[in-house]
Amino acid sequence: MIDSKKLTVFYDGECPLCDREISFYKRRKGSESVNWTDVNQLGEEELAPRLTKAQALSRFHVQTFDGRIISGGEAFAVVWAALPGFRLLGKLFQIQPFLWLLNNLYGVFLKFRPHLQSLLKKYQ
């Protein structure tokens, strides 16, 4: 059950890159204040309103405690802002022009993600 009073992170637990990154965040101080949700463990009906499973698997999404869905680079900034060790970085990347930069870098990363996933799967 997802606690609606916490930030919810939707991630692809079958993606080796995603799984490693989320595992890193889960070990950080404050991670207990976040719902870490592997989308592969949920049925379509269990996702957030206005967020399909296909969307959640295609890019990074978070749902804020007030129900807003945020995706892409901005979603990373929201996660960072929720974790004490990354809070300053998260706040910085929520303002322009840093938010624009983060969103665009994430867009570039998404183009290479399938190739990086293939490489990591070979070496696991």
Side-chain angles (χ1 to χ4, degrees):
M1 182 76 182
I2 294 176
D3 183 346
S4 63
K5 294 180 181 146
K6 294 181 178 183
L7 178 70
T8 298
V9 170
F10 297 98
Y11 70 97
D12 181 356
E14 293 180 8
C15 163
L17 291 168
C18 307
D19 190 53
R20 285 181 184 187
E21 183 170 11
I22 296 301
S23 293
F24 171 80
Y25 293 137
K26 284 180 174 180
R27 293 189 303 269
R28 307 283 70 88
K29 181 180 178 183
S31 67
E32 66 283 349
S33 68
V34 177
N35 294 311
W36 303 98
T37 306
D38 180 354
V39 174
N40 296 294
Q41 304 301 315
L42 300 176
E44 190 72 37
E45 69 284 350
E46 296 177 277
L47 294 181
R50 300 172 313 281
L51 180 64
T52 67
K53 193 169 189 172
Q55 290 170 322
L57 290 171
S58 70
R59 63 189 283 125
F60 191 63
H61 290 81
V62 299
Q63 182 177 27
T64 61
F65 69 91
D66 62 358
R68 288 182 302 127
I69 300 291
I70 300 169
S71 71
E74 185 177 1
F76 283 98
V78 170
V79 171
W80 298 336
L83 300 173
F86 296 89
R87 190 159 285 137
L88 183 60
L89 186 66
K91 296 291 184 188
L92 178 68
F93 277 102
Q94 288 181 43
I95 59 174
Q96 296 296 351
F98 304 108
L99 177 57
W100 177 88
L101 179 65
L102 185 60
N103 277 323
N104 282 283
L105 288 173
Y106 183 70
V108 170
F109 163 77
L110 286 178
K111 292 177 183 179
F112 293 99
R113 180 181 171 204
H115 305 292
L116 295 170
Q117 287 173 317
S118 295
L119 282 173
L120 274 176
K121 285 181 181 179
K122 284 182 185 179
Y123 297 105
Q124 281 186 326

